[in-house]
Amino acid sequence: MSETEAGAPQRESARGTVRVLLYSHDAGVREQVRLAVGRRPAADVAEVEFVECATEPMVWRKLRAGEVDLMILDGEAQPVGGMGLCRQAKDEIYRCPPTLVLVGRADDSWLAAWSRAEAVASHPIDPTDLPAKLAELIREHSNRIVASS
């Protein structure tokens, strides 16, 4: 592991994988996301490995340890929603991973913008839309992701 400027360890991704933190208190939502994305959201991006978190403290533990490359946060999670968590992470974590927020309705996209998420998708999980948005996020931020082919 190498050190970031903030002193937190920066984990190097396993060969050919992007580690995606997946936060929701609801195991069903986490399962829907995993099934929609599969092992690889698009043919031209690396495989993904999900790091599932059901609680806010575990999200902070993984972020501070530098163990993830991207995040998918459920904006409808309880008791701490993904949008507030995203905004706080963008303020507090040096080189915070790019983030996709799941919102309750498409009309809530403005809230995801407030949270400073780089991408947004809505519930119910669309098995075509979500992988496409995740793949685009991986492509756009590939210079920050340490995955190798």
Side-chain angles (χ1 to χ4, degrees), residues 74-98:
D74 182 2
E76 305 298 308
Q78 297 295 325
V80 177
M83 287 179 270
L85 188 55
C86 179
R87 185 167 175 99
Q88 185 177 354
K90 296 295 181 179
D91 284 340
E92 296 181 11
I93 301 296
Y94 173 72
R95 291 188 59 149
C96 184

Side-chain angles (χ1 to χ4, degrees), residues 22-34 52-54:
L22 174 54
Y23 166 68
S24 179
H25 76 287
D26 186 337
V29 169
R30 295 193 312 269
E31 180 180 29
Q32 289 173 23
V33 170
R34 282 192 328 272
E52 293 189 38
C53 296

Side-chain angles (χ1 to χ4, degrees), residues 4-103:
T4 64
E5 288 181 26
Q10 182 66 40
R11 185 202 52 76
E12 293 190 19
S13 295
R15 183 170 174 77
T17 62
V18 175
R19 294 200 60 183
V20 178
L21 184 145
L22 174 54
Y23 166 68
S24 179
H25 76 287
D26 186 337
V29 169
R30 295 193 312 269
E31 180 180 29
Q32 289 173 23
V33 170
R34 282 192 328 272
L35 291 173
V37 172
R39 292 178 55 126
R40 186 183 304 256
D44 65 329
V45 299
E47 288 186 7
V48 297
E49 175 187 340
F50 287 105
V51 176
E52 293 189 38
C53 296
T55 66
E56 177 195 20
M58 185 55 74
V59 171
W60 289 113
R61 188 172 301 133
K62 297 296 183 184
L63 282 175
R64 289 188 177 119
E67 295 181 6
V68 297
D69 302 305
L70 296 170
M71 295 190 295
I72 298 176
L73 306 177
D74 182 2
E76 305 298 308
Q78 297 295 325
V80 177
M83 287 179 270
L85 188 55
C86 179
R87 185 167 175 99
Q88 185 177 354
K90 296 295 181 179
D91 284 340
E92 296 181 11
I93 301 296
Y94 173 72
R95 291 188 59 149
C96 184
T99 306
L100 183 148
V101 171
L102 302 171
V103 296

